Amino acid sequence: MSADHTTPSATTVVLPEWAVVTEKRRAHIQRVVALLERWADELSLSTEERRAWVDAGRWHDALRDADEPTLRAATGDQQRPFGMLHGPAAALRLAAEGEERQSVLDAIRWHTVGSLDWYRTGRALFMADFLEPGRNFMQTDRAFLADRVADDFDAVFRQVVRLRLEWTIREGKGLSPETVALWNQIR
């Protein structure tokens, strides 16, 4: 696989050569990776699981700034909203290049909506993507939750899913079947 599998520090996130990201997106990815690294350390994860978390974090938005025709062509999906296509497109590209860790591919594929079939990697990415400190809303609440992940991973995950559902409803956006199924599983 051409994507580098070493575990980078949060300040040296290495993206695949095919990544399409702005500098603002790169900064977001770095903050997500830093949070995942922190939690991995706090939870004393194995080297293998830590690497999966970090790789999922650094690759989750690798195609976030690609244009709609590119993402629709990459996924073959003409139905889902444009904003939900970058995860599946990146997962497909990584798999085509030889990435075999299903936990990483599933985390990336479903990071915007959630999945019933996630390993802990997907849940960690879902939380880090929402809780990373560069986002400008609910900063105190999100920082509190980020600090609690190592103490009560499942409870924080449930709270993040709930908060993301509330935001989606408040913004008048449609709920994906995957998100609804995930909520029904964990509530």
Side-chain angles (χ1 to χ4, degrees):
M1 171 169 182
S2 66
D4 179 74
H5 269 353
T6 60
T7 303
S9 72
T11 57
T12 59
V13 170
V14 178
L15 296 174
E17 63 185 38
W18 46 263
V20 181
V21 297
T22 61
E23 285 307 311
K24 180 179 177 182
R25 182 78 52 209
R26 183 180 293 275
H28 161 73
I29 292 168
Q30 288 180 216
R31 290 188 301 269
V32 168
V33 169
L35 205 48
L36 290 166
E37 287 177 325
R38 183 181 117 201
W39 295 339
D41 291 344
E42 290 172 355
L43 290 164
S44 301
L45 297 186
S46 69
T47 301
E48 181 180 313
E49 188 173 11
R50 184 183 203 280
R51 186 172 297 121
W53 284 28
V54 170
D55 285 346
R58 69 185 172 128
W59 296 332
H60 81 285
D61 273 355
L63 290 174
R64 183 64 177 99
D65 296 315
D67 62 32
E68 185 170 357
T70 299
L71 294 178
R72 293 219 182 268
T75 62
D77 189 331
Q78 301 303 313
Q79 302 302 314
R80 281 194 186 267
F82 168 56
M84 293 181 179
L85 299 177
H86 65 282
L92 288 166
R93 181 71 183 257
L94 289 161
E97 290 190 354
E99 176 58 58
E100 296 179 345
R101 294 172 294 172
Q102 199 61 50
S103 67
V104 173
L105 295 172
D106 286 347
I108 294 166
R109 176 180 308 278
W110 301 111
H111 79 273
T112 60
V113 295
S115 172
L116 292 176
D117 300 323
W118 264 342
Y119 299 85
R120 192 161 59 162
T121 302
R123 291 174 178 229
L125 176 59
F126 191 79
M127 289 188 288
D129 193 35
F130 181 77
L131 297 176
E132 69 93 343
R135 297 189 182 268
N136 293 323
F137 62 94
M138 297 175 53
Q139 290 178 328
T140 303
D141 293 335
R142 288 182 316 96
F144 173 79
L145 289 171
D147 289 342
R148 301 258 316 130
V149 168
D151 297 327
D152 200 345
F153 187 95
D154 292 335
V156 174
F157 179 68
R158 193 170 28 263
Q159 182 70 358
V160 168
V161 172
R162 185 182 69 76
L163 289 170
R164 288 183 81 160
L165 277 168
E166 288 175 354
W167 177 85
T168 302
I169 292 167
R170 192 171 44 252
E171 293 297 311
K173 299 182 181 292
L175 296 174
S176 73
E178 295 87 358
T179 309
V180 173
L182 179 60
W183 174 249
N184 285 333
Q185 180 188 59
I186 64 170
R187 64 188 168 102

